[in-house]
Amino acid sequence: MKKIDSKTKRPASKPKTAAETVRKPKNASDILQKRIDFNISLCKKNNGMKINLQRAAQNVVELQRGLTGSRALAGNGYMQKGASLQAYLLYYWPVSYAQTKAALQKAPRFFERVAEISGSAGTSGNAGTASKAKKRAIRVLDLGSGPAPASCSLADLAQGRGEQNMAFEFCLYDSSGDALSLGKKILEAAYAKNASVETRVCNLENVFQPKNGALEIAGKPQIAGSAQSAGKPKNGAAFLDGKKFDFIIASHSLNELWKGQKKRGEKIAALLKNLSACLDDGGLMLLMEPALLATSRALIEARDSLIASGLKVASPCLQSASPCPALENPNATCHAQFYWEMPQIVADLAALAGLNRADVKMAYFVFEKAVGGSFGQEGDFGNGENSLQDQKGGGPDFGLATVPDFSTVPSLVEAPDFGLATETGLANICALVVSEPMLNKAGRVRYVLCDGKARFTLSAKNGDPNAAAQGFFDLKRYDKIKIAGAQVRSQKGEPLSLGFDENTRLEFLL
């Protein structure tokens, strides 16, 4: 099975050469470039951090190998080293910024929450309502923040969709005081008088202490820069202060905790459960990790534990169902992938380092706390009638659902929206694309889809005019779609495989 380049719809080509990668992208984000320019000025001002692109590229390679290769640097204080911190600011900071933006843009609830806080929600047609609505600062907790790319991205995205003069209260936690200092400077420069930034040196691995066979919270955080924070980082977590936040972020930080330790999953689950209590009503929690098999599957396990404790997944999942069907196969995972307009400094460093940054990948989930403090499952994107929720994974490749007996599932053979005769097909299936396009030897392009409770495939003959006209060959990871009239190609008991024909209809959602 060959992978298809989802951008060109041709079989995947070799990685781009340095010359191809270094070309300056068109229409790069002005706001991101403004943030990068400030980061460059920070590098130049700090002692020992003069910018040498060749040396910076070498440091990027070391970071890349240590964080996504051998993972020897993960959780080992790399942010305390000036060279690593510079490489992060110039290369990984823009990437993390773009990842956060992409994840939140896929979550409509984020923009609704911003509108609620800004007082602009539900004000259409009533000019006086907005002025009377209660306005306040947006409160953000960023755990393992580093120099705050995720917080900065969240704030920039909120500014772009809501009031242009929003106020923010940032609370940054990290084990590196140097990274926190830079993060504070970046946020204060970006939002001038409209932001308060509290930074605290905190080693989250010391938050929980074994006691009587259970894990209990221990320790208090330190305010970075105060006399109390001198020396080694100590225990702490923001929820000990009793504060409530609108948004909680843990970006690429969970994977660095308790590496190789027993009960690692339980410790992370306990940490996240306590963090969820810090969300204000209607608040959101963004968890994001590298798109590696081990780290993404660990995040999926954390997702399931949070759902079991009562949280709702706002994005990207169609339903807050547990367990995630991806876990049914040890080689399956789930992550996002998107193409972006590479900033010039990232393109230059990628070319020098021999890396390809044409696309960006990450695993993420956005969780929501329902108003009133309870976590409901209502409002899921799909519903039981139009999902394959009764099917169990059995596919050798992706943990796919097996073919059901459709005579016992009448809701799957009706298509009121499209008026199609689908006696042998499926109707109105809402699904999330969770793979790249793949071309098999028979000349069919297929995708793996997930309806929230089961995984299955949808394929079409390469170049099929009906499929092409409806955008089938342009599907990308995490596209949300509705399918009607898909034909069942697999036999009963086999991994479920659906096919595109002249009667199949595809609708892009969201």
Side-chain angles (χ1 to χ4, degrees):
M1 184 73 65
K2 294 182 179 180
K3 290 184 179 179
I4 299 293
D5 187 326
S6 60
K7 203 172 184 182
T8 63
K9 295 179 285 185
R10 296 193 301 265
S13 58
K14 296 180 180 180
K16 292 185 178 181
T17 64
E20 291 173 325
T21 306
V22 77
R23 288 181 297 182
K24 186 174 183 178
K26 297 180 180 179
N27 302 318
S29 168
D30 291 338
I31 189 66
L32 174 54
Q33 188 58 55
K34 184 177 180 180
R35 305 299 179 227
I36 292 173
D37 290 343
F38 184 78
N39 290 357
I40 292 174
S41 70
L42 283 179
C43 291
K44 291 179 178 179
K45 289 178 182 178
N46 280 272
N47 293 331
M49 294 182 71
K50 292 182 180 180
I51 299 178
N52 180 306
L53 283 183
Q54 289 286 354
R55 188 173 301 170
Q58 293 175 2
N59 294 329
V60 167
V61 171
E62 292 179 6
L63 273 182
Q64 191 269 343
R65 291 173 178 171
L67 295 177
T68 62
S70 66
R71 296 194 50 74
L73 291 180
N76 284 335
Y78 58 92
M79 286 285 192
Q80 286 295 102
K81 300 177 181 179
S84 296
L85 191 51
Q86 182 195 77
Y88 184 92
L89 276 176
L90 300 178
Y91 186 81
Y92 281 106
W93 196 101
V95 172
S96 294
Y97 179 104
Q99 289 173 331
T100 303
K101 179 181 178 181
L104 293 177
Q105 282 181 321
K106 287 281 189 178
R109 182 66 190 126
F110 169 75
F111 301 109
E112 294 172 1
R113 183 58 180 160
V114 170
E116 291 166 2
I117 299 169
S118 69
S120 61
T123 62
S124 179
N126 188 344
T129 305
S131 60
K132 295 179 181 179
K134 183 179 179 181
K135 298 182 180 181
R136 59 170 175 78
I138 295 176
R139 300 184 294 259
V140 181
L141 169 63
D142 195 341
L143 287 178
S145 65
S151 285
C152 193
S153 180
L154 181 151
D156 284 344
L157 189 60
Q159 288 276 64
R161 287 295 190 98
E163 300 287 336
Q164 296 301 307
N165 194 31
M166 290 181 176
F168 298 92
E169 293 177 4
F170 298 102
C171 190
L172 310 181
Y173 280 58
D174 200 274
S175 61
S176 170
D178 291 341
L180 287 172
S181 177
L182 290 174
K184 182 179 177 69
K185 292 177 181 178
I186 291 170
L187 292 175
E188 288 179 340
Y191 295 101
K193 298 180 180 179
N194 290 331
S196 66
V197 185
E198 179 182 302
T199 60
R200 296 198 175 190
V201 176
C202 170
N203 188 340
L204 291 175
E205 286 194 351
N206 297 328
V207 168
F208 295 101
Q209 298 288 336
K211 187 175 182 180
N212 299 326
L215 294 171
E216 293 190 357
I217 302 169
K220 279 278 188 178
Q222 294 176 297
I223 300 176
S226 71
Q228 296 175 322
S229 65
K232 295 182 179 180
K234 294 186 178 180
N235 304 334
F239 49 76
L240 293 177
D241 294 334
K243 295 180 179 179
K244 295 288 186 180
F245 297 90
D246 302 302
F247 302 105
I248 296 177
I249 307 170
S251 174
H252 299 283
S253 55
L254 296 179
N255 71 91
E256 299 187 1
L257 299 176
W258 299 296
K259 284 176 56 184
Q261 294 188 22
K262 295 180 179 179
K263 297 184 177 181
R264 179 179 182 274
E266 293 179 21
K267 293 177 181 179
I268 290 177
L271 171 65
L272 294 176
K273 185 176 181 180
N274 278 280
L275 284 175
S276 68
C278 295
L279 279 174
D280 201 356
D281 286 353
L284 301 178
M285 179 191 296
L286 169 62
L287 306 181
M288 191 158 58
E289 293 285 80
L292 304 173
L293 179 64
T295 55
S296 57
R297 286 180 66 84
L299 183 60
I300 293 173
E301 292 174 353
R303 164 202 180 273
D304 286 354
S305 70
L306 285 174
I307 291 175
S309 67
L311 273 73
K312 174 183 175 181
V313 182
S315 181
C317 304
L318 301 188
Q319 300 187 49
S320 295
S322 178
C324 171
L327 294 179
E328 295 177 4
N329 185 296
N331 296 317
T333 184
C334 192
H335 66 266
Q337 178 183 15
F338 63 94
Y339 291 91
W340 68 319
E341 298 172 348
M342 262 193 301
Q344 188 62 48
I345 188 69
V346 176
D348 290 343
L349 289 172
L352 291 169
L355 302 175
N356 182 10
R357 269 295 172 189
D359 62 353
V360 177
K361 301 177 182 179
M362 77 283 191
Y364 76 89
F365 295 104
V366 179
F367 299 90
E368 178 184 1
K369 179 176 182 179
V371 174
S374 61
F375 299 96
Q377 300 302 313
E378 70 281 355
D380 283 337
F381 190 83
N383 59 60
E385 292 185 350
N386 292 329
S387 71
L388 301 174
Q389 58 184 339
D390 296 325
Q391 310 313 314
K392 294 182 179 180
D397 294 332
F398 300 99
L400 304 176
T402 52
V403 178
D405 180 355
F406 293 110
S407 64
T408 65
V409 193
S411 63
L412 293 180
V413 292
E414 299 173 359
D417 288 352
F418 299 98
L420 299 177
T422 57
E423 185 175 352
T424 60
L426 302 185
N428 300 335
I429 300 175
C430 294
L432 187 73
V433 179
V434 294
S435 79
E436 299 175 8
M438 295 165 285
L439 180 65
N440 64 18
K441 294 181 179 179
R444 294 187 69 87
V445 175
R446 73 166 180 165
Y447 296 87
V448 179
L449 308 180
C450 179
D451 72 348
K453 293 189 176 181
R455 283 187 164 198
F456 52 99
T457 64
L458 176 66
S459 67
K461 188 71 176 178
N462 194 18
D464 178 270
N466 183 40
Q470 298 184 59
F472 174 81
F473 300 109
D474 296 322
L475 289 174
K476 296 179 177 60
R477 286 183 186 268
Y478 283 16
D479 279 345
K480 293 180 180 179
I481 58 175
K482 180 189 286 186
I483 312 156
Q487 302 302 303
V488 179
R489 294 177 53 82
S490 48
Q491 301 298 315
K492 185 177 179 180
E494 294 180 346
L496 181 59
S497 175
L498 306 180
F500 221 99
D501 69 6
E502 67 275 7
N503 293 320
T504 306
R505 296 294 179 267
L506 176 67
E507 178 184 353
F508 285 80
L509 302 169
L510 207 65

